[in-house]
Amino acid sequence: MRGYQVVEYPLKAFLQDLQEHSPLSSEDEKAFLALPMRLRHLDAGSYLVREGDIPTHCCILVDGYAFRQKVTGHGSRQILSVCIPGDAIDFQNMFLDISDHAVQLLTRSLVVDIPREALQELVLRRPAIGVAVIHSTLIEASILREWVVNVGRRDARARIAHILCEFAVRLEARGLASRGNFELPMTQEQLADATSLTPVHVNRVLKSLQAEGLINRQRRNIQFTDWRALQEVADFSRRYLHLPGEDDVAVAAM
Amino acid sequence: MRGYQVVEYPLKAFLQDLQEHSPLSSEDEKAFLALPMRLRHLDAGSYLVREGDIPTHCCILVDGYAFRQKVTGHGSRQILSVCIPGDAIDFQNMFLDISDHAVQLLTRSLVVDIPREALQELVLRRPAIGVAVIHSTLIEASILREWVVNVGRRDARARIAHILCEFAVRLEARGLASRGNFELPMTQEQLADATSLTPVHVNRVLKSLQAEGLINRQRRNIQFTDWRALQEVADFSRRYLHLPGEDDVAVAAM
DNA sequence: CGTACGTTTGATCTTTCTCAATAATGGTGG
DNA sequence: CCACCATTATTGAGAAAGATCAAACGTACG
């Protein structure tokens, strides 16, 4: 029973998020917590998965930040999403036999590993957990769709504003930031790979957003000084995040 | 029982694809086919879902082609994926309460509608079907990730070559094309919105691919005249499609 | 047979990239 | 605690891919 005590608290955010849309019974939750798990601290820059890996376990990010990435044949990198505490990293590795992208830590992090087979079996045995997994996967896909739009059809200014809005809202939904004030755990180079720009241009855009009074920046700390305007510039609507509660109203009120 | 006869054959490709990775028992398959379904013919340009819709049913594309799209606040469109016969259009609408993107038909099509609640209930009652749904959703997400890379980190030439490769391989996996010869059911404007380019530039790139002997084009018909070279230009690897069978070997042999 | 839509082509313009150099910053060992 | 090194951030100047604008040409089809 020791395993329980080790992981129950760290998984709180994850379990809460998993149940956001359809609560699990206490048996379901117990069954989840009874899974074999391993808790690990890893340094910034560590890979949780590499492209081409044959996955053996699934990873949950308990504390810290990570990002998904793919690299083209010419060596340029595209960041596909940023993972925040409480995110499941590896539902794809639960069922797909080879990893199609890599996940790398942005900061020193605490992660939980669960053997792939154990999770597979659990989902078959407890359909409600399967439904929660589908839910979570669908939301991730929705975020990815918006990411395509961002990279594909917005100019540099809107792209950067958008990624900032998304990050802030996701953090706030997990209680990890408030009032548009947060630590952005990425270098400008990483921001560039997330927005499909160059680091140089990211720098210029960030400065111009600051010059126009939309954000305030002290190194990696970001403070939204004009949510409304930033949201406008970003063409941001939180609908695609499928968060519970009011739609854009909530944002407008910030 | 009449319902069965109407939809069993049309759903063949869909059911086969759904089971590609983990076969369903005959009870599972029967339970699926026993769902209430409606078969519809719709014209090109019809919307299967609109952004913001509250979904009431889920859609399977039996015959014909469609695409997913989002539109920015400034009115530019991003196409997110192309749906081919046998694709489930609407697993997201099975669990998400509001549609975050639209799906529009490229051609006159045959679609099957299944009430959302019936599918939800089925997935809870038949966990193996839930697993198949997760599988299918994960593969869709993988394709979307590659789409981000395509739009974000490849130049116009590679982007267009890549989308052609992807389309050809997916069609061939369903037995809908062979030897790199297929009908591309999109205008150059749609191709532009899929690759985040302008129609003018798409036109120029297509012409240059033809001039270099990589493809042959008669209106919308595409013929790959040099698979190997096109794949090279496209930076294409079929791994992300998570198709069964050999990896890139199969493509190389075409 | 004319109208609407899609394709093709040319000329010019703009955003963003590239290359290059300098300045901060943070972490590390002495 | 300080000097040093490796990252990261910032700035400038010039180049390029792709966008925009505009017009002509095909082709399908009502």
Side-chain angles (χ1 to χ4, degrees):
Chain A
M1 289 297 106
R2 278 208 62 219
Y4 273 51
Q5 294 161 322
V6 177
V7 297
E8 187 160 3
Y9 177 71
L11 285 180
K12 210 178 136 211
F14 167 74
L15 282 170
Q16 191 178 330
D17 194 66
L18 193 63
Q19 304 185 51
E20 197 84 84
H21 302 266
S22 47
L24 298 176
S25 69
S26 66
E27 283 80 39
D28 285 327
E29 194 167 325
K30 263 191 205 132
F32 191 96
L33 289 168
L35 287 170
M37 296 185 189
R38 182 174 50 145
L39 208 53
R40 285 193 293 165
H41 275 283
L42 292 170
D43 284 327
S46 312
Y47 282 86
L48 294 183
V49 206
R50 280 171 194 276
E51 197 172 337
D53 272 3
I54 312 282
T56 58
H57 59 263
C58 298
C59 215
I60 295 166
L61 187 59
V62 170
D63 194 34
Y65 295 86
F67 60 91
R68 301 176 187 283
Q69 70 173 98
K70 292 189 90 159
V71 175
T72 70
H74 297 302
S76 46
R77 172 175 69 171
Q78 177 66 52
I79 290 181
L80 302 160
S81 69
V82 178
C83 306
I84 68 175
D87 276 351
I89 303 288
D90 268 336
F91 283 147
Q92 44 280 343
N93 289 343
M94 186 158 142
F95 288 108
L96 301 184
D97 296 326
I98 184 160
S99 178
D100 54 75
H101 67 284
V103 181
Q104 195 175 9
L105 293 180
L106 280 166
T107 61
R108 179 167 168 75
S109 300
L110 183 59
V111 302
V112 164
D113 293 332
I114 304 173
R116 172 181 150 103
E117 292 74 20
L119 253 175
Q120 284 179 348
E121 183 274 333
L122 180 71
V123 162
L124 277 176
R125 185 158 48 84
R126 299 245 156 219
I129 293 183
V131 166
V133 168
I134 296 179
H135 226 125
S136 155
T137 307
L138 291 176
I139 291 176
E140 217 181 294
S142 174
I143 296 177
L144 210 47
R145 283 190 287 270
E146 186 66 30
W147 205 277
V148 176
V149 174
N150 201 41
V151 153
R153 285 297 188 210
R154 295 202 181 96
D155 65 17
R157 194 178 150 64
R159 265 184 235 184
I160 296 207
H162 196 277
I163 205 178
L164 293 178
C165 287
E166 173 174 319
F167 198 65
V169 170
R170 286 177 57 212
L171 286 180
E172 293 186 12
R174 291 259 167 89
L176 298 169
S178 67
R179 313 168 139 278
N181 187 331
F182 58 95
E183 214 58 40
L184 186 69
M186 309 171 78
T187 64
Q188 291 179 8
E189 186 176 4
Q190 288 158 344
L191 215 41
D193 285 336
T195 49
S196 308
L197 298 166
T198 51
V200 172
H201 204 58
V202 166
N203 183 276
R204 296 200 228 263
V205 171
L206 281 175
K207 292 202 69 184
S208 90
L209 290 176
Q210 171 134 3
E212 291 165 62
L214 298 179
I215 62 172
N216 217 335
R217 235 181 359 133
Q218 331 268 351
R219 301 218 35 73
R220 308 274 173 85
N221 181 283
I222 306 283
Q223 166 81 56
F224 291 176
T225 42
D226 190 344
W227 237 122
R228 198 36 100 31
L230 189 67
Q231 202 180 315
E232 183 79 20
V233 166
D235 182 34
F236 180 84
S237 151
R238 52 182 259 166
R239 175 188 290 165
Y240 74 97
L241 294 173
H242 294 280
L243 293 169
E246 324 86 286
D247 222 46
D248 295 280
V249 193
V251 175
M254 279 178 199
Chain B
M1 289 300 104
R2 278 206 62 219
Y4 273 50
Q5 294 160 320
V6 177
V7 296
E8 188 160 2
Y9 176 71
L11 285 180
K12 210 177 136 212
F14 167 74
L15 281 171
Q16 191 178 329
D17 194 66
L18 193 64
Q19 304 186 50
E20 196 83 85
H21 302 267
S22 47
L24 298 176
S25 68
S26 67
E27 281 81 37
D28 285 327
E29 194 166 324
K30 263 191 205 132
F32 192 95
L33 288 168
L35 286 170
M37 297 184 189
R38 183 174 49 148
L39 208 53
R40 285 193 294 166
H41 276 283
L42 292 170
D43 284 328
S46 311
Y47 282 86
L48 294 183
V49 206
R50 280 171 194 276
E51 197 172 336
D53 272 2
I54 312 283
T56 58
H57 59 262
C58 298
C59 216
I60 295 166
L61 187 59
V62 170
D63 194 34
Y65 295 86
F67 60 92
R68 300 175 187 283
Q69 71 174 98
K70 292 190 89 160
V71 174
T72 71
H74 296 303
S76 46
R77 172 175 70 171
Q78 177 66 52
I79 290 182
L80 302 159
S81 69
V82 178
C83 306
I84 68 176
D87 277 350
I89 303 290
D90 268 337
F91 283 147
Q92 45 280 342
N93 288 345
M94 187 157 140
F95 289 107
L96 301 184
D97 296 326
I98 184 160
S99 178
D100 53 74
H101 68 283
V103 180
Q104 196 174 10
L105 293 180
L106 280 166
T107 60
R108 178 167 168 75
S109 300
L110 183 59
V111 302
V112 164
D113 293 331
I114 305 174
R116 171 181 150 104
E117 292 73 22
L119 253 175
Q120 285 178 348
E121 184 274 333
L122 180 71
V123 161
L124 277 176
R125 186 158 47 84
R126 300 245 156 218
I129 293 183
V131 166
V133 168
I134 296 179
H135 225 125
S136 155
T137 307
L138 290 176
I139 290 176
E140 216 181 294
S142 175
I143 295 177
L144 209 47
R145 282 190 287 270
E146 187 65 31
W147 205 277
V148 176
V149 174
N150 201 41
V151 154
R153 285 298 188 209
R154 295 202 182 96
D155 65 17
R157 193 178 150 65
R159 263 184 237 185
I160 296 205
H162 196 278
I163 205 177
L164 293 179
C165 288
E166 173 175 319
F167 198 64
V169 170
R170 286 176 56 211
L171 286 180
E172 293 186 11
R174 291 258 168 90
L176 298 168
S178 66
R179 313 168 138 278
N181 187 331
F182 59 96
E183 214 59 40
L184 186 68
M186 309 171 77
T187 65
Q188 291 179 10
E189 185 175 6
Q190 288 159 343
L191 215 40
D193 285 337
T195 49
S196 307
L197 298 166
T198 52
V200 172
H201 204 60
V202 166
N203 182 274
R204 298 200 228 263
V205 171
L206 280 175
K207 294 203 68 186
S208 91
L209 289 177
Q210 171 135 4
E212 292 165 63
L214 298 179
I215 61 171
N216 216 336
R217 235 178 2 130
Q218 331 268 352
R219 299 211 46 67
R220 308 273 173 85
N221 181 282
I222 306 282
Q223 165 81 55
F224 291 177
T225 43
D226 189 343
W227 236 122
R228 196 39 98 32
L230 189 67
Q231 201 180 314
E232 183 79 21
V233 166
D235 182 34
F236 180 82
S237 150
R238 52 182 259 163
R239 174 187 290 164
Y240 74 96
L241 294 172
H242 294 281
L243 293 169
E246 325 86 286
D247 222 46
D248 295 281
V249 194
V251 174
M254 280 181 199

